[in-house]
Amino acid sequence: MDPRTTVEAMLRPDLRGRTAYGAPQLDVPVALNTNENSYPVPPVVVEAIADAVRAVAAGLNRYPDREFTALRTALAAYLSRSGTPVGPGAVWAGNGSNEVLLHLLQAFGGPGRTALGFTPAYSMHPIITTTTGTTWVDGLRGVEGAGAFDLDVASAVAQVRAHRPDVVFLCSPNNPTGTALGLDVVVAVHDAAPDALVVVDEAYAEFARPGTPSALTLLAGRPRLVVTRTMSKAFALAGGRLGYLAADPAVTDALRLVRMPYHLSTQTQAVALAALEHADLMLETVGAIKEQRDRLVSGLTALGLDPVPSDANFVLFGTLEDARATWQELLDRGVLVRDVGIPHYLRVTAGTPEETTRFLEAVAAAVPTRTGAAP
């Protein structure tokens, strides 16, 4: 190879000119841009995690349990609390749900194969797809105006039949819109794509409003259906990096072919197990966060803006004349939110009551109100 050859020239052609994923990590008083849980891990759980890691520390000279058996059992028990039985053999986990999604695409995607998602949706779906050499297809949601972010059965089925994908991504609740899917959409997409793996990303499922269904209830008898979850959000464990899925055991067997050996470290397994042993305590903040989410919706509406009703721990809000300028004005006031690339919209995480107040005050100062109402 010519020593003058540049790294850019050596890079895979499909990656050249792309920008790496990365939400801004800025030191600001109010960080509401990455859908983290604003509440710290409870002291009791901190102690339990420290004890668990201490207990395994002497054995770190040995590789971790490659099958993460105890963790799969605990995750299955947690999922089964919803009323839908899930066995350990149906569970898979990775270092965050992104690694779980990567495993799925490594096993079921690849060169010559296609993945379809309905955008706007989770931005990592197309990124991970591309890194595996899989072709990404941007499916579409509703038309502009009322229901612009909804996905109806007829539209979804038509797009699946037109593109004949090998993998289909559905988000419920959807990121960045916060909107949930009806199970009729999931079933229709699954049935319209008889040769595709259908992945329902439920990263924010614990924050859904009462009556919002989970695709976990559809797993039985559908070996091509996968439901992914994470401990980053409701469990306030974003730094722990633990995502997981539930699917037919044949799917989890396939993922063993592509995962790196011993991909879940001993300490990662210990941390996740300690958190799951205190699941009720870890999830106590979910109700408080949902209250702040609903307060964001009402407060933004009072300011004359257009928030999208949400089943997640964030709110997408719009009708901003210049979303990027508003983002900067909020940042100048010490509040960091997310510009998700949708014209006239920004996304804000539901945090603590104090953070909600700071955000609404900043919006009131940055955006001329149309009603004159106070936040």
Side-chain angles (χ1 to χ4, degrees), residues 127-145:
I127 292 173
I128 298 173
T129 295
T130 300
T131 64
T132 62
T134 311
T135 299
W136 174 259
V137 175
D138 257 329
L140 301 174
R141 289 181 175 268
V143 296
E144 187 174 352

Side-chain angles (χ1 to χ4, degrees), residues 138-288:
D138 257 329
L140 301 174
R141 289 181 175 268
V143 296
E144 187 174 352
F149 301 120
D150 293 336
L151 180 63
D152 63 53
V153 169
S155 174
V157 166
Q159 294 179 72
V160 166
R161 288 176 174 166
H163 295 291
R164 300 177 62 83
D166 300 281
V167 180
V168 180
F169 286 107
L170 298 170
C171 261
S172 186
N174 185 49
N175 179 12
T177 65
T179 48
L181 288 176
L183 294 185
D184 57 335
V185 178
V186 178
V187 171
V189 167
H190 176 273
D191 293 349
D195 300 316
L197 191 77
V198 178
V199 182
V200 184
D201 189 331
E202 291 191 348
Y204 302 94
E206 286 91 347
F207 298 101
R209 289 170 290 184
T212 303
S214 167
L216 286 173
T217 60
L218 300 175
L219 287 176
R222 293 183 175 88
R224 294 182 294 103
L225 184 63
V226 177
V227 178
T228 63
R229 294 283 187 95
T230 182
M231 293 184 73
S232 293
K233 312 301 182 182
F235 273 85
L237 213 62
R241 309 310 301 128
L242 199 291
Y244 58 104
L245 63 74
D248 189 276
V251 172
T252 60
D253 279 344
L255 301 185
R256 289 179 171 86
L257 301 174
V258 298
R259 58 99 178 266
M260 291 294 100
Y262 314 106
H263 71 290
L264 280 178
S265 73
T266 296
Q267 57 268 38
T268 295
Q269 295 182 45
V271 169
L273 278 166
L276 286 164
E277 288 170 1
H278 295 81
D280 289 337
L281 179 58
M282 293 292 281
L283 295 173
E284 280 187 354
T285 60
V286 168

